[in-house]
């Protein structure tokens, strides 16, 4: 068995996914001539000052960020922060005043209209807060409506719409009209309408805000289930901190048209950029919104062992490093067990935690495990470990911006 430090192997981390959307210095000024407002902003003026001096509203100011393939990227902020303007810029429902929006390297702000329409039709779908279902059409017909507008043949669009309804659990309700469906079911039809296009990117603007809390949680679960199965790139707009923390891979927090912080839920909770971000997330129960993978650490103190027959060299190395345990993986990076430096056999009863398990579900397991608890992804690949110290640090409200 060979000891492998995390820094010496690519298999200990898959690395960041490819970038799908690149946004650079994106601005939106709601004025026929945005130049005076842009000049004021460049001189250091804020949104309120531009409104006072020019009577011009600022939507987005110098936004720059990347959105990776397969992630749920949540953009959030208070009312008027610019989050809904941002998503409408991304799909070109409104024109930017300045900046670039690159989809797979192509600048959408410079494409001829015909090419832009084709790119948006092929790659993007939008889910709005309003269900916007046609009352005189069935769930199947509503789900197929976008394809109908795009000129897709009847048989093909019905087949695609039925597949989408089945994906959201409404295959048996295809013939029902909106009045015969609950609010949550109507929103599922709206989601199916977006999925029927088979988009690579989904834009969701406050998609669950109109639902009551129980149905809203159900729809969040549905979104996470679909994401596990299909791994689409999703841009989700929300004003709800707990919702953002629950579903996001990364979060961009906006204030007065500017992005003030981008990070994972764990990063934002541990190190809020300023008092605005700190206050935004103050009431969030971290144990219910953070997941095991948010806490999993794989650093120099985590000794990784490559699976092999002879464990004696590995045991000697563990002793030399003063490490109590080594985490055994196969060549594909999948977790195989835990080796203690006090014995030649793998520890019994150490089952890894799933990466998407909520932190509150780990409390007993971390407390009773003989070693830091290993965490794996859906394919069993080792992501890192959660120690008792890391868990306590996360649950300490002071370390999450409340102190």
């Amino acid at each position: 068995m060979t000891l492998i430090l995390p820094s010496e192997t690519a298999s200990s981390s898959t690395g960041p996914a490819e970038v799908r959307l690149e946004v650079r210095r994106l601005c939106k000024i709601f004025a026929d001539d945005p130049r005076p407002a842009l000049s004021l902003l460049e001189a250091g003026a804020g949104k309120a000052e531009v409104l006072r001096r020019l009577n011009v509203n600022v939507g987005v100011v110098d936004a720059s960020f990347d959105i990776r393939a397969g992630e749920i990227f949540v953009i959030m902020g208070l009312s008027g922060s610019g989050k809904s303007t941002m998503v409408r810029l991304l799909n070109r429902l409104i024109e930017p005043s300045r900046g670039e929006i690159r989809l797979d390297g192509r600048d959408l702000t410079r494409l001829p209209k015909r090419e832009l329409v084709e790119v948006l039709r092929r790659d993007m779908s939008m889910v709005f807060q309003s269900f916007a279902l046609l009352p005189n059409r069935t769930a199947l017909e509503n789900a197929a409506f976008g394809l109908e507008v795009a000129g897709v043949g009847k048989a093909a669009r019905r087949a695609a719409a039925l597949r989408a309804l089945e994906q959201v659990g409404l295959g048996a309700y295809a013939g029902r009209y909106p009045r015969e469906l609950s609010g949550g079911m109507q929103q599922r039809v709206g989601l199916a309408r977006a999925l029927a296009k088979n988009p690579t990117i989904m834009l969701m603007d406050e998609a669950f805000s109109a639902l009551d809390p129980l149905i809203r949680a159900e729809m969040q679960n549905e979104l996470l289930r679909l994401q596990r199965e299909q791994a689409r790139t999703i841009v989700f707009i929300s004003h709800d901190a707990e919702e953002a923390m629950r579903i996001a891979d990364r979060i961009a927090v906006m204030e007065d048209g500017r992005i003030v912080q981008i990070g994972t839920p764990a990063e934002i909770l541990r190190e809020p950029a300023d008092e605005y971000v700190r206050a935004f997330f103050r009431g969030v129960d971290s144990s219910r919104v953070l997941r095991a993978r948010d806490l999993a650490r794989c650093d120099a103190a985590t000794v990784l062992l490559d699976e092999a027959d002879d464990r004696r060299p590995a045991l000697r190395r563990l002793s030399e490093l003063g490490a109590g345990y080594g985490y055994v993986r196969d060549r594909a990076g999948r977790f195989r067990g835990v080796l203690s430096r006090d014995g030649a056999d793998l520890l019994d009863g150490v089952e890894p935690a799933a990466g998407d398990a909520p932190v509150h579900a780990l409390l007993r397991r971390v407390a009773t495990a003989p070693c830091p608890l290993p965490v794996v992804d859906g394919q069993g690949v080792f992501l890192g470990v959660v120690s008792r110290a890391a868990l306590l640090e996360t649950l300490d409200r002071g370390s999450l911006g409340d102190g």
Side-chain angles (χ1 to χ4, degrees), residues 78-303:
L78 298 175
S79 178
S81 63
K83 58 188 185 297
S84 290
T85 300
M86 181 74 77
V87 77
R88 284 162 171 75
L89 288 168
L90 294 182
N91 69 358
R92 297 296 306 281
L93 284 177
I94 57 177
E95 291 295 313
S97 303
R98 185 179 68 191
E100 298 180 352
I101 305 168
R102 294 186 175 276
L103 173 59
D104 297 330
R106 302 178 71 188
D107 189 352
L108 300 185
T109 66
R110 298 181 182 275
L111 288 183
K113 185 174 182 179
R114 180 175 296 180
E115 289 184 40
L116 175 63
V117 169
E118 179 57 31
V119 168
L120 297 180
R121 180 180 294 169
R122 182 183 65 246
D123 285 308
M124 288 189 184
S125 277
M126 187 89 174
V127 182
F128 295 95
Q129 177 180 352
S130 170
F131 310 146
L133 302 184
L134 300 172
N136 61 335
R137 294 195 175 210
T138 65
L140 181 64
E141 291 166 339
N142 270 286
F145 183 69
L147 296 175
E148 181 181 345
V149 172
V152 176
K154 184 175 182 179
R157 69 176 183 257
R158 286 177 64 86
L162 184 57
R163 283 196 300 272
L165 286 173
E166 289 171 345
Q167 288 173 8
V168 300
L170 290 181
Y173 295 84
R176 300 286 184 90
Y177 288 90
R179 63 181 178 273
E180 300 174 295
L181 303 174
S182 68
M185 295 169 79
Q186 290 181 42
Q187 187 61 296
R188 286 173 186 258
V189 175
L191 183 56
R193 182 173 53 201
L195 291 171
K197 291 175 57 181
N198 195 28
T200 59
I201 297 176
M202 289 182 61
L203 307 176
M204 305 183 71
D205 188 10
E206 300 273 13
F208 306 149
S209 296
L211 304 173
D212 67 53
L214 287 178
I215 297 176
R216 188 173 189 175
E218 179 183 307
M219 288 302 299
Q220 292 167 1
N221 289 336
E222 187 72 14
L223 180 65
L224 292 171
R225 180 187 67 80
L226 288 169
Q227 188 66 355
R228 285 194 297 270
E229 295 175 358
Q230 302 175 3
R232 299 178 191 273
T233 302
I234 297 175
V235 183
F236 194 101
I237 306 302
S238 179
H239 66 271
D240 186 288
E242 190 156 331
E243 177 175 70
M245 287 286 167
R246 184 165 185 240
I247 67 173
D249 293 300
R250 289 188 302 143
I251 298 171
V253 184
M254 296 191 69
E255 180 185 21
D256 289 339
R258 298 182 183 274
I259 292 178
V260 295
Q261 186 169 6
I262 296 176
T264 66
E267 289 167 348
I268 288 177
L269 283 175
R270 289 196 185 105
E271 299 182 34
D274 57 20
E275 184 55 36
Y276 172 78
V277 179
R278 188 188 308 274
F280 213 116
F281 294 99
R282 182 166 285 132
V284 172
D285 181 353
S286 61
S287 74
R288 296 196 172 273
V289 297
L290 292 181
R291 290 161 281 187
R293 68 170 179 262
D294 296 321
L295 274 63
R297 297 177 182 176
C298 189
D299 52 26
T302 307
V303 179

Side-chain angles (χ1 to χ4, degrees), residues 18-51:
E18 65 175 315
V19 172
R20 291 296 315 281
L21 276 170
E22 302 172 76
V23 174
R24 296 292 180 267
R25 296 204 67 196
L26 192 63
C27 293
K28 179 58 184 177
I29 310 299
F30 291 95
D32 292 335
D33 182 2
R35 289 174 297 182
L38 289 171
S39 295
L40 279 179
L41 291 170
E42 289 174 352
K47 178 177 178 176
E49 184 177 352
V50 172
L51 180 62

